[in-house]
Amino acid sequence: MHQKTKDRLPSFLQSLQQMGRDWSRQNTSAHEPHKPGHLDSQAKLLLLVNVLFITAGALSGTFVNVYLWKVKSQFAPIAWFTFTTHLVGALTFWVAGWYAKQGNKMNILRAGMAVSAIFYLVVLVIGPKAVSYAPLIGFIQGMAVGFFWLAFNVVYFEITGPDNRDRFNGWAGLLVSGGGMLAPWISGWLITRLPSNSGYSLIFGISLALFIVGVVISFFLKKRQSEGCYSWAFALRCLRDDPQWRFAAGALAGQGLREGLFGFIIGLMVYIATKSEMTLGNYWLITSAVGIVSYYLTSRWLTLRYRKWGMLVGAVIMSGVVALFFWQVSYSTLLIFGIAVSIAYPLFSVPMISTIFDLIGTNEESAQNRVEYVVLREFALDAGRIVGIVLFLVVTSISISPTTLNWLILSIGTGPIIAWLCMARLFRTESLEKKEG
């Protein structure tokens, strides 16, 4: 890099940070009177950063697995890539929690987006050889998601409360579904229109650029620094001493059990059934459009009183619709599956996310340990995800017959029912009943 450019870069970043501080002061809650369900400027900015992160991931993330499959048509490299992502993600949460507690968690958020950009840069550089380095690129991806989601979840807790948390989650789901609707379709269109693998190179490059834009926008979020010392063994002590968090961790592990496998297997099944990236893009376009409507209705009508039963309906639909694959695995059945899950997932996830974060904010003492609780939450999710992927690797090393895969998918697909059974105990706790009253 030219020396003059080096000299200018720190001053540019300082100017950017000053702009962010000025903008934040002009848009504090003092100028925006709080109303029940109201989202202030910081919440809206966090939504924007979230949408950029998810959209960039949806643009290319859907097709990373297909890219690896086209190079080597085996499930194992993709499963190992996903396994490493979740394992490193959990460890990154744990280690980054210390910095988030001692320093500026906004730097952790930016690091997540910056490392995501590095991930796509690495994939661009090594090209088809990526399949030989699946655990390595999974390591980079795990660091990226660990950094980003740790900071995001802590800041999300700080700027929302029980009165507007469902609304934030509903809007987040709505906007993310919009990005998830358009991004894969655009990617599929580009991949099928451009020769060889140049379409993949283009979409990976676009994702890299979006992550950089996200880093710039993050400078307009207020600096947020936590108090107190970070407790490295907090998660173990909490699970040992707090029965509510044992049920919460069980619910999160049940959710993760399904997510670990379904996060990559469904898109691959669509591609294997159709052999078309464009059709895969259309699949996500349709299912995400349905998800937008479902998130919108959920954010408007699902109140504290109906969290328990809304989540049950979502869990039953998500688990039961897997039975379709015993009849036939085709684009039609996969599309029916995707539409059903898109309707049900907001009913399942919005109550669960809101209730877990309400539990973190039960009292002032627990809120002070919000970083540790967010780490515990991610540990539980990733534990479930890792178990699901390990089961998949073990079973497919023995047999990859359609019947075996269907039973495996059905078994792991019951994770939402496990999650609801655990959450039902939380919905009955005295503290949450008081909030409902």
Side-chain angles (χ1 to χ4, degrees):
M1 186 182 295
H2 196 278
Q3 184 60 43
K4 289 184 179 179
T5 305
K6 285 184 178 179
D7 294 339
R8 290 188 188 119
L9 188 56
S11 61
F12 167 74
L13 293 177
Q14 290 170 6
S15 299
L16 197 56
Q17 286 179 312
Q18 185 60 48
M19 287 170 61
R21 288 192 290 266
D22 293 344
W23 191 93
S24 297
R25 283 196 294 268
Q26 294 168 8
N27 292 275
T28 56
S29 57
H31 297 283
E32 299 175 87
H34 181 74
K35 304 174 188 176
H38 173 72
L39 298 179
D40 64 15
S41 298
Q42 288 289 293
K44 292 172 184 175
L45 262 181
L46 189 65
L47 280 172
L48 177 58
V49 170
N50 184 32
V51 170
L52 280 171
F53 186 87
I54 295 293
T55 301
L59 190 69
S60 298
T62 303
F63 293 93
V64 168
N65 293 329
V66 174
Y67 184 67
L68 297 176
W69 177 267
K70 290 180 73 172
V71 176
K72 190 175 184 180
S73 299
Q74 294 179 2
F75 287 119
I78 300 166
W80 279 112
F81 164 70
T82 309
F83 172 85
T84 310
T85 296
H86 294 311
L87 178 62
V88 174
L91 294 174
T92 301
F93 255 80
W94 186 50
V95 175
W98 172 82
Y99 182 82
K101 196 74 178 278
Q102 307 301 321
N104 179 7
K105 62 183 70 71
M106 288 294 96
N107 291 334
I108 297 290
L109 188 80
R110 293 170 196 130
M113 290 183 284
V115 177
S116 292
I118 292 171
F119 168 78
Y120 286 105
L121 182 61
V122 169
V123 174
L124 276 171
V125 171
I126 64 178
K129 292 181 181 178
V131 73
S132 301
Y133 300 98
L136 173 61
I137 61 174
F139 184 94
I140 300 171
Q141 179 81 319
M143 287 182 61
V145 298
F147 284 137
F148 180 85
W149 289 115
L150 170 70
F152 177 88
N153 286 325
V154 174
V155 175
Y156 153 76
F157 171 79
E158 292 175 348
I159 66 175
T160 62
D163 65 323
N164 67 353
R165 199 159 279 147
D166 284 333
R167 174 157 292 191
F168 183 97
N169 292 334
W171 274 108
L174 181 68
L175 295 170
V176 165
S177 292
M181 178 179 71
L182 295 175
W185 183 87
I186 293 170
S187 296
W189 186 84
L190 289 172
I191 290 169
T192 55
R193 293 297 185 276
L194 296 174
S196 185
N197 286 327
S198 57
Y200 283 97
S201 298
L202 178 60
I203 63 169
F204 294 157
I206 294 172
S207 291
L208 190 156
L210 287 176
F211 285 122
I212 293 173
V213 171
V215 171
V216 173
I217 291 176
S218 72
F219 282 95
F220 293 90
L221 284 164
K222 288 193 296 186
K223 178 179 179 179
R224 297 176 182 275
Q225 193 160 349
S226 301
E227 302 82 21
C229 297
Y230 181 66
S231 175
W232 293 93
F234 181 87
L236 291 176
R237 289 203 308 271
C238 189
L239 292 176
R240 182 191 64 196
D241 301 334
D242 192 335
Q244 290 188 23
W245 270 100
R246 285 200 290 273
F247 285 115
L252 290 161
Q255 178 185 356
L257 181 69
R258 179 189 183 278
E259 287 182 354
L261 176 60
F262 282 58
F264 73 88
I265 197 67
I266 299 302
L268 271 182
M269 289 171 69
V270 173
Y271 177 76
I272 292 168
T274 64
K275 300 293 188 296
S276 169
E277 288 93 347
M278 188 71 252
T279 304
L280 178 57
N282 289 334
Y283 175 85
W284 293 119
L285 177 72
I286 295 167
T287 55
S288 296
V290 174
I292 286 177
V293 177
S294 184
Y295 268 111
Y296 175 75
L297 296 177
T298 300
S299 67
R300 283 181 62 89
W301 293 333
L302 188 67
T303 61
L304 285 166
R305 182 177 302 175
Y306 300 113
R307 280 182 184 177
K308 178 179 179 179
W309 303 115
M311 184 179 174
L312 176 61
V313 171
V316 169
I317 294 174
M318 289 168 64
S319 300
V321 74
V322 178
L324 277 172
F325 299 147
F326 284 91
W327 171 49
Q328 185 184 43
V329 178
S330 65
Y331 180 72
S332 298
T333 54
L334 286 162
L335 185 59
I336 294 170
F337 168 86
I339 290 172
V341 170
S342 295
I343 293 171
Y345 190 75
L347 292 170
F348 170 82
S349 65
V350 169
M352 184 160 175
I353 294 171
S354 297
T355 302
I356 294 293
F357 279 92
D358 286 351
L359 188 60
I360 295 174
T362 300
N363 54 57
E364 185 177 348
E365 182 181 357
S366 64
Q368 288 175 351
N369 291 317
R370 56 190 176 273
V371 172
E372 287 89 345
Y373 278 119
V374 167
V375 172
L376 169 56
R377 175 181 180 270
E378 189 65 21
F379 270 178
L381 275 170
D382 280 327
R385 291 164 180 161
I386 289 169
V387 168
I389 296 169
V390 168
L391 286 173
F392 177 81
L393 284 167
V394 171
V395 172
T396 54
S397 68
I398 300 170
S399 172
I400 56 171
S401 69
T403 302
T404 301
L405 287 176
N406 285 341
W407 278 109
L408 177 64
I409 292 171
L410 179 63
S411 301
I412 292 176
T414 60
I417 298 294
I418 297 171
W420 183 83
L421 290 172
C422 293
M423 289 297 295
R425 301 292 296 268
L426 289 182
F427 289 130
R428 292 200 296 268
T429 59
E430 182 179 349
S431 60
L432 293 180
E433 285 177 353
K434 286 180 180 178
K435 290 178 183 178
E436 288 185 17

